[in-house]
Amino acid sequence: MAYLNPVRHITFDARDPHVLARFWSRLTGYPLEDSDPDGEWALISPGQPGVPGLLFLRVPDAKTVKNRVHLDIQPPSGTRDAEVERLTGLGAGVVDDRRTEDGLGWVVMSDIEGNEFCVERSAVERGVVPS
């Protein structure tokens, strides 16, 4: 019997859902689905069965406190440090640098609306070869 992931979307509150969706589209490589740029929502989806998309819903208020849930990003190639540099170039900020001298650890970052996420060592650095 095939497993069906019960998580369909991971949802973010956003002041500007389309701008935030474009940021996360560049971060993940998931394409932005067609929607109204001035609308109430935007969706990026990997287009793979069982893999949740990221849904961005317009809310009137800005983020004010630490996330209770966040995403851990594992770059599929390259290095964690190169990914941190790339994401900083996209407008992400470094909130807390938890890298250690032995090469382990992670970097806590924030997207362009302040939502935190972590960048861990890449699949290559972990010795995980994508199939």
Side-chain angles (χ1 to χ4, degrees), residues 38-118:
D38 296 320
E40 297 300 307
W41 62 273
L43 176 66
I44 63 172
S45 178
Q48 297 177 12
V51 180
L54 302 180
L55 178 63
F56 303 89
L57 299 177
R58 185 178 306 281
V59 297
D61 49 326
K63 181 184 171 298
T64 58
V65 297
K66 184 181 182 320
N67 296 13
R68 295 288 304 264
V69 175
H70 70 268
L71 301 181
D72 288 338
I73 304 300
Q74 173 184 260
S77 63
T79 66
R80 172 200 55 219
D81 297 346
E83 185 70 355
V84 168
E85 187 173 323
R86 182 181 82 84
L87 297 176
T88 301
L90 294 177
V94 174
V95 174
D96 191 15
D97 193 332
R98 297 295 192 92
R99 292 176 277 197
T100 60
E101 290 183 20
D102 61 3
L104 300 176
W106 62 94
V107 178
V108 180
M109 300 190 78
S110 61
D111 68 20
I112 58 176
E113 287 200 9
N115 301 298
E116 292 97 3
F117 61 96
C118 292

Side-chain angles (χ1 to χ4, degrees), residues 72-81 83 119-131:
D72 288 338
I73 304 300
Q74 173 184 260
S77 63
T79 66
R80 172 200 55 219
D81 297 346
E83 185 70 355
V119 179
E120 299 180 345
R121 290 182 304 145
S122 72
V124 172
E125 291 171 305
R126 291 175 181 273
V128 177
V129 179
S131 54

